[in-house]
Amino acid sequence: SWWWPHLPLWTTLDDDVFWLFNRTLSIADHPLWTTLVAIFNNRGFDAVSFLILAAIFTWAVRRDPRPQRLQRWIAIGLTMLITAGLVSLLVNKLVTYGHPSPTLTHAGVHLLSQEVPFATKDASGNSFPGDHGLMLMTFAAFMWHFAGRRVGLVSVAAVIVLSAPRIIGGGHWFSDVYLGALAIALLTLPWVLCTACAARLSERLQHGLARLMSRLDH
C-alpha cells in the first residue's frame, strides 16, 4: 500500500496526523500542551524513557521464577543490545530511501523550538525510518518473547506512548514509525526470536557470565 503509486493512503494519513497535532502547538493558544510536548521531545526526556524501559525490564526479572534469573536476564539484555545494533547497522547499510520530517516539508507550521525557550527536537533532515521507534519495538519484541504476554503488552503500550512525542512534535511522520520502523521490525526480528538464534546466544552468554562469576568468587 505504501509503494502503490496510485493509492495515497499513507500520504493522506501522514498529513492528517501531522496537521491534527501541529495546529495545537502554539504557546499562545495552548501553553501547557505545547510546553509538555516540547519537554517530551527534549533530549533529557530520553533518560525518562530509559527509566521506563528499565522498570519494565526489572519487572520481567522479578517475575521470572527460575534460578539464576539475574544472570539469565543480563544475558537476554545483552542479546537484545546486540540484535538492536545489528538491525540498526543493517538499516543504515540497506535502506537507501529517506525523506525530511513534516516540519521541513510543509510551510506555515508551528515549530516547537520557536514556541518554547529551551532546546527541543522538532525536525529531522531524514526521518525515515523512525530509529527511536525501531529500538522501542525491538525491546517490546524481546520482552514479549522472553517475559510473556503481560509484560509484552505493557512493553507494546510503552512503544506507543514513548514514540508518540516524535510524531506529535513533527519530528517524524506517522508512517516513519508505524510503517517504516514496524515493517523493519516485523521483517528482521522473527529471524532472531522465532528461530534458535536469540535463545542460543543468551544461553551462551549466561554460561559465560556464570563462569566469570565463578572465577571472581575463587
Side-chain angles (χ1 to χ4, degrees):
S1 65
W2 184 63
W3 275 321
W4 193 257
H6 303 297
L7 184 65
L9 170 67
W10 289 99
T11 302
T12 302
L13 182 60
D14 278 339
D15 285 340
D16 288 347
V17 171
F18 171 69
W19 288 114
L20 172 68
F21 291 113
N22 189 259
R23 64 171 60 100
T24 69
L25 299 180
S26 169
I27 200 72
D29 298 326
H30 308 281
L32 179 59
W33 166 249
T34 304
T35 302
L36 284 175
V37 174
I39 290 173
F40 293 155
N41 281 283
N42 181 272
R43 288 297 183 185
F45 187 73
D46 289 343
V48 178
S49 298
F50 175 80
L51 290 176
I52 292 172
L53 299 184
I56 297 173
F57 190 88
T58 303
W59 180 36
V61 175
R62 292 175 64 88
R63 280 172 49 87
D64 193 340
R66 282 165 284 194
Q68 297 182 331
R69 64 184 182 183
L70 183 58
Q71 291 179 8
R72 177 175 183 267
W73 277 96
I74 290 175
I76 291 171
L78 291 173
T79 303
M80 179 171 58
L81 290 175
I82 292 170
T83 302
L86 290 175
V87 170
S88 179
L89 181 64
L90 188 68
V91 169
N92 290 334
K93 293 294 184 181
L94 298 182
V95 178
T96 58
Y97 172 80
H99 56 217
S101 63
T103 47
L104 297 180
T105 302
H106 291 298
V109 302
H110 290 133
L111 294 173
L112 283 173
S113 57
Q114 297 178 4
E115 297 287 337
V116 296
F118 54 86
T120 186
K121 183 178 180 180
D122 59 9
S124 175
N126 182 13
S127 64
F128 184 92
D131 52 352
H132 181 69
L134 180 57
M135 295 302 103
L136 291 171
M137 291 172 188
T138 302
F139 175 85
F142 267 79
M143 291 300 100
W144 195 301
H145 182 77
F146 286 103
R149 182 177 299 178
R150 181 176 296 182
V151 178
L153 286 172
V154 173
S155 300
V156 170
V159 172
I160 297 171
V161 171
L162 296 178
S163 64
R166 296 287 199 274
I167 297 171
I168 295 171
H172 282 291
W173 299 94
F174 181 83
S175 64
D176 292 338
V177 177
Y178 291 106
L179 183 135
L182 183 59
I184 292 169
L186 293 175
L187 286 170
T188 57
L189 295 179
W191 291 98
V192 179
L193 295 172
C194 297
T195 66
C197 290
R200 288 181 180 176
L201 179 56
S202 62
E203 287 174 2
R204 291 185 180 183
L205 288 171
Q206 184 178 353
H207 292 156
L209 288 170
R211 288 196 298 269
L212 178 61
M213 295 299 294
S214 177
R215 290 179 181 178
L216 292 175
D217 289 340
H218 293 295

